[in-house]
Amino acid sequence: MTQELVSLTIIMAVAAVSPIVAQLIPGKFIPQTVLLLAAGTALGPYGLGVIEVNDAVKLLNELGMAFLFLLAGYEIDPKRLAGHQGKVGLLTWGITLGLAWLVVTFLPFFTKQGINGVATVIALTTTALGTLMPILKERNLEGTPIGDAIISYGTWGELGPILAMAILLSTRTGWQTMLVLGAFLVICLLCAMLPTKALRTGHRLYRFLTENANTSSQTLMRLTTFLLIFLVTISALFELDAVLGAFAAGFILRYIIPDGSKSLEMKLEGVGYGFLIPVFFVVSGAAINVRAVASRPALLVAFIVMLMLIRAVPVYVALSLDKRKNPLSSHHRVTVALYCTTALPIIVAVTSLAVKVGTMQSDTASTLVAAGAITVFLMPLLGSITYQVADIHPVTAVREIAHTPSDWRTIVREHAQVRALLHHQDRLKRMAETLDTLEAHERGDEHRAELVERARREIDRQLKELGLDPQLTTQLPHNYRYPKN
């Protein structure tokens, strides 16, 4: 027990220090997740060896992965899946899966590396939506057209591989697999329908649960945790991957509470991001054999390149063909595609399963997990760069400068001003939406009336900072369309 406590203490010390280090780094371009992975690699069995991945740590690691996918499933809006962008995201993921199968099957490189199996195909089609959500929140992309596109395409980049793992990596025959998945689906439907019916009928049990949700009983939090553990356990009993049960739990929770619950979300994020999820990332880093990765640099680089070609390119093409419904500039389409190429948790799950059944060597799995870890750092970084320069329209600026080189200072300044105005417009739009919501619920509430007034003052302050008259906000280019770079 002493060694388990020592390992957990070191893991939580890393978890506590990581956000501080991430904050101190100029530009904050390294996500906390990357620091957790790097620390796990350095301190794990293949590094200094001070973290021992024993049974107790493995259990917490599984729970951390379960909470990560619970929160990822909870972020999915069923309406988004059924909407236009959701359907395009599904089609795009299907094309990605086909491309991955062709490349892995027929490209001699993968055959020589001994990874021309289904596990590699699935690993090349993933998007780490659960990992991306905190990054999107940190960078204020949530709720923007870019953030919405990332979530729509990323949802299928996470849900699709989970279903593919359950179907394609099963050791059962086809009809047995379908039977087991059907039974699992029935259990999930029951878990979703019973609470929903109680909610609609105002059952006494439901009233009791909601009334005690924020007391020492913590009824909703306990039920949510029970739902998660129950479905993960059912997945294990059915010999399905735990990821499927965890993701289903989050999706069911969103179905039961379609409008969300801020109180419950804060508690789930507190337990998840405050404790279990950092354990998962540190232990994932500890599973990386640095020497094995260093001995196969070609595989590491090739896998990252293939991820970009197989996952990022189809997303970019889909966004380009869907410009009427989703009018994003070319730079912003690149941003979405890069973020959607972030891949780690599914790679960890699929390679662990492949090693367990003997279809992949542990050294190869370490290399693929290392590649996934690199994408967590690299793809958001590249996406952030393209996002920052997108509104400056650099290609257009270069063309203008080439036409009139003597005016380059004026051209650069004007493009920078357009970017500042667009960013201000985005902030103003968000505040206006908040203002409308507050006004709709004001109804004589003095506290809400005070919030409305504070919001108005904040809008005026931001306008004045840009040298604009608060009374003339209609002059902002609300109908601005990005030029074709």
Side-chain angles (χ1 to χ4, degrees):
M1 180 61 72
T2 302
Q3 182 57 49
E4 285 88 341
L5 289 173
V6 169
S7 295
L8 184 58
T9 299
I10 296 172
I11 290 171
M12 293 315 300
V14 169
V17 171
S18 292
I20 300 173
V21 175
Q23 183 73 20
L24 293 175
I25 295 174
K28 305 176 186 177
F29 65 93
I30 300 181
Q32 297 177 34
T33 303
V34 174
L35 298 177
L36 294 171
L37 289 165
T41 303
L43 302 175
Y46 300 106
L48 298 177
V50 294
I51 294 177
E52 181 181 318
V53 185
N54 44 52
D55 290 341
V57 173
K58 285 180 180 177
L59 177 59
L60 291 175
N61 173 59
E62 290 291 323
L63 290 175
M65 185 169 65
F67 256 87
L68 180 66
F69 281 97
L70 167 77
L71 292 171
Y74 181 74
E75 292 289 347
I76 296 175
D77 184 354
K79 294 179 181 178
R80 190 191 300 275
L81 285 179
H84 171 77
Q85 203 166 47
K87 293 175 182 177
V88 175
L90 173 59
L91 177 62
T92 304
W93 182 80
I95 293 171
T96 301
L97 183 65
L99 288 173
W101 179 81
L102 288 172
V103 168
V104 172
T105 303
F106 296 105
L107 197 67
F109 175 81
F110 286 96
T111 304
K112 291 179 181 178
Q113 297 290 333
I115 54 170
N116 56 336
V118 175
T120 308
V121 172
I122 294 173
L124 285 169
T125 68
T126 64
T127 296
L129 184 62
T131 305
L132 280 175
M133 289 310 301
I135 296 176
L136 296 180
K137 291 176 181 178
E138 288 173 8
R139 298 180 178 179
N140 297 317
L141 288 175
E142 193 178 30
T144 66
I146 294 172
D148 290 343
I150 293 170
I151 293 173
S152 293
Y153 285 88
T155 294
W156 286 110
E158 191 144 57
L159 179 57
I162 290 172
L163 296 176
M165 286 173 61
I167 297 171
L168 300 178
L169 293 179
S170 174
T171 57
R172 304 181 181 90
T173 60
W175 70 269
Q176 288 176 330
T177 300
M178 292 298 107
L179 185 63
V180 168
L181 287 175
F184 182 78
L185 178 61
V186 169
I187 293 173
C188 290
L189 289 174
L190 290 174
C191 290
M193 291 172 61
L194 292 177
T196 304
K197 186 175 181 180
L199 186 154
R200 290 174 180 171
T201 58
H203 194 274
R204 283 183 297 175
L205 177 59
Y206 173 75
R207 292 199 300 273
F208 170 79
L209 294 175
T210 53
E211 288 170 0
N212 290 273
N214 295 315
T215 65
S216 59
S217 299
Q218 291 294 320
T219 48
L220 288 181
M221 184 63 187
R222 292 185 187 185
L223 274 178
T224 300
T225 307
F226 166 73
L227 174 66
L228 173 64
I229 302 298
F230 173 69
L231 290 181
V232 168
T233 303
I234 293 296
S235 298
L237 292 174
F238 285 176
E239 296 183 3
L240 299 169
D241 196 271
V243 168
L244 180 61
F247 200 84
F251 197 74
I252 290 169
L253 188 62
R254 171 60 71 180
Y255 177 79
I256 297 171
I257 317 174
D259 297 327
S261 169
K262 291 295 182 183
S263 175
L264 180 61
E265 289 166 18
M266 289 181 64
K267 294 168 188 173
L268 289 173
E269 290 180 354
V271 174
Y273 293 117
F275 176 35
L276 294 171
I277 293 175
V279 173
F280 166 70
F281 283 119
V282 173
V283 174
S284 296
I288 298 175
N289 186 338
V290 180
R291 292 181 180 177
V293 174
S295 67
R296 307 181 74 176
L299 176 59
L300 179 72
V301 175
F303 191 80
I304 295 174
V305 171
M306 284 300 156
L307 268 173
M308 296 184 70
L309 293 176
I310 292 172
R311 184 67 184 140
V313 172
V315 170
Y316 179 84
V317 172
L319 286 167
S320 300
L321 295 176
D322 195 37
K323 284 193 293 186
R324 288 186 178 181
K325 293 283 187 177
N326 300 287
L328 295 176
S329 70
S330 59
H331 292 84
H332 284 159
R333 295 197 294 273
V334 171
T335 299
V336 173
L338 288 170
Y339 272 102
C340 287
T341 314
T342 305
L344 179 66
I346 292 291
I347 293 179
V348 173
V350 75
T351 54
S352 298
L353 186 58
V355 170
K356 184 178 179 181
V357 299
T359 58
M360 184 180 291
Q361 297 180 353
S362 59
D363 288 355
T364 303
S366 286
T367 305
L368 299 190
V369 171
I374 290 173
T375 65
V376 175
F377 162 71
L378 184 62
M379 301 308 169
L381 174 62
L382 295 177
S384 177
I385 292 172
T386 58
Y387 178 72
Q388 291 296 325
V389 304
D391 291 336
I392 302 176
H393 307 299
V395 176
T396 304
V398 169
R399 289 174 182 168
E400 293 175 1
I401 292 172
H403 187 261
T404 53
S406 59
D407 294 337
W408 69 271
R409 290 187 179 84
T410 303
I411 293 170
V412 170
R413 184 172 62 254
E414 288 176 349
H415 279 259
Q417 288 174 344
V418 168
R419 177 179 178 274
L421 189 60
L422 287 173
H423 279 222
H424 164 73
Q425 177 187 338
D426 184 54
R427 293 199 307 271
L428 185 64
K429 181 180 178 181
R430 293 187 196 179
M431 292 197 67
E433 290 173 352
T434 303
L435 185 64
D436 291 340
T437 302
L438 291 171
E439 287 178 332
H441 295 85
E442 188 174 347
R443 298 178 181 177
D445 189 326
E446 293 183 2
H447 295 291
R448 290 190 178 276
E450 181 181 351
L451 287 174
V452 170
E453 184 58 34
R454 286 172 59 187
R456 286 198 181 99
R457 289 198 298 268
E458 180 63 17
I459 291 174
D460 290 350
R461 184 187 66 78
Q462 292 187 6
L463 284 167
K464 289 176 181 178
E465 281 184 359
L466 290 175
L468 300 171
D469 186 345
Q471 303 301 321
L472 301 175
T473 54
T474 54
Q475 292 182 359
L476 288 173
H478 291 289
N479 297 322
Y480 183 86
R481 289 291 180 267
Y482 300 108
K484 296 181 180 179
N485 286 339

